[in-house]
Amino acid sequence: AGVQTVKRAVQLDVASRFQESLVCYQEGIDLLLQVVKATKDEAKKHRYRQKISELTFFSDGKYHKQIRIEENATGFGYEKLFHEYLTEIVSEVWVEDPYIRHVHQASRYLLYNFLRFCEMLIKGPCKVKTIHLLTSRDEGSGRIQQMSGLEEIQQSLRSYGVTLNIEFSSSIHDREIRFNNGWMIKIGRGLDYFKKPQGRFSIGYCDFDLRPCHETTVDVFHTKHTKKI
């Protein structure tokens, strides 16, 4: 599988499809690392290490892509925004967003947005096992609803074999999402870039691809994550 993934990476590289090529290079490296750990033959280990070193050289370039979402733009549901970075090797996700709060906070559906994001992870093709959420506590009467909602999401995820770890910070300001395959996505508005639907039975209420967006910027980075053998 690792060899086939690397071959695919080379083909994409030649075709100047650099973003997809980088994803395949990184996935190929991870698959080869798994082979090295399972191989007892030292000669084979040495050959695999050499190949991994070569691949790391090719995939070591810094990557930055910026997406501008215009006011009232549609077609930017979570699946469309994240799907190309959610490869099969993704098993752990970090979400840092200070405003995963009560459903009616500022007339937005913040907890529902996080729930939609989790649903996307469950549908794959990734095999997510752990989600880490870092957010801030709601204030006043909203705190009870916030905790109740998060605990319900946590319990529901557990039935799918996914652990949700929740932490709170009073000083968190940045909004970013990280996957353990090295991809990092920073959204100016966090997960809350959708406008409030006009009504419960209006187009876009259920399908986020059809929901108008607030203006925001999405920055996508890749960080080298290959561990030394």
Side-chain angles (χ1 to χ4, degrees):
V3 172
Q4 293 302 317
T5 303
V6 171
K7 286 182 178 179
R8 177 61 176 160
V10 173
Q11 292 171 351
L12 292 168
D13 208 348
V14 172
S16 298
R17 294 165 63 181
F18 302 118
Q19 179 178 328
E20 297 169 84
S21 173
L22 181 57
V23 171
C24 287
Y25 273 128
Q26 293 292 346
E27 188 163 340
I29 289 171
D30 282 346
L31 289 170
L32 289 175
L33 281 171
Q34 294 175 24
V35 173
V36 170
K37 290 178 181 178
T39 301
K40 296 182 179 180
D41 188 314
E42 290 300 323
K44 288 184 178 180
K45 277 190 175 184
H46 179 69
R47 289 198 297 272
Y48 282 128
R49 287 189 180 115
Q50 284 185 319
K51 178 56 66 177
I52 290 170
S53 178
E54 294 171 6
L55 292 174
T56 302
F57 173 79
F58 285 113
S59 64
D60 200 23
K62 293 182 179 179
Y63 178 89
H64 176 214
K65 173 183 178 181
Q66 187 173 84
I67 302 168
R68 183 77 175 181
I69 299 178
E70 302 292 341
E71 185 77 6
N72 291 317
T74 57
F76 290 96
Y78 293 148
E79 285 85 356
K80 293 290 182 66
L81 202 60
F82 295 107
H83 80 279
E84 61 188 301
Y85 311 110
L86 290 171
T87 58
E88 292 184 0
I89 64 173
V90 173
S91 60
E92 197 164 7
V93 178
W94 291 262
V95 178
E96 295 185 9
D97 192 321
Y99 299 115
I100 306 299
R101 294 183 175 180
H102 180 35
V103 279
H104 299 299
Q105 173 76 17
S107 299
R108 295 172 187 157
Y109 297 82
L110 305 175
L111 277 173
Y112 282 134
N113 288 351
F114 179 65
L115 176 60
R116 291 286 185 89
F117 178 78
C118 292
E119 289 175 337
M120 175 196 66
L121 296 176
I122 292 295
K123 289 193 295 184
C126 55
K127 310 297 181 184
V128 173
K129 295 299 181 185
T130 308
I131 302 172
H132 304 274
L133 172 64
L134 178 63
T135 189
S136 60
R137 290 188 185 277
D138 209 337
E139 299 176 355
S141 59
R143 180 173 295 189
I144 296 175
Q145 289 90 340
Q146 179 193 29
M147 288 306 304
S148 175
L150 287 174
E151 287 172 1
E152 188 171 343
I153 294 173
Q154 188 178 50
Q155 182 177 352
S156 183
L157 283 169
R158 194 176 296 124
S159 66
Y160 284 87
V162 179
T163 299
L164 173 61
N165 297 321
I166 305 168
E167 293 187 32
F168 297 97
S169 170
S170 59
S171 58
I172 179 176
H173 296 290
D174 292 340
R175 299 168 175 88
E176 67 178 44
I177 295 169
R178 304 190 305 277
F179 306 130
N180 67 323
N181 60 353
W183 290 103
M184 176 191 300
I185 295 91
K186 291 177 175 284
I187 308 174
R189 298 182 63 94
L191 291 173
D192 182 38
Y193 58 88
F194 297 103
K195 289 193 169 183
K196 179 185 176 182
Q198 295 181 352
R200 289 182 298 170
F201 300 100
S202 61
I203 297 298
Y205 185 88
C206 298
D207 190 338
F208 274 21
D209 282 336
L210 300 174
R211 180 85 66 88
C213 298
H214 291 283
E215 180 179 349
T216 193
T217 301
V218 181
D219 288 284
V220 181
F221 304 90
H222 191 279
T223 56
K224 183 184 174 185
H225 66 288
T226 304
K227 297 179 181 179
K228 186 176 180 180
I229 307 170

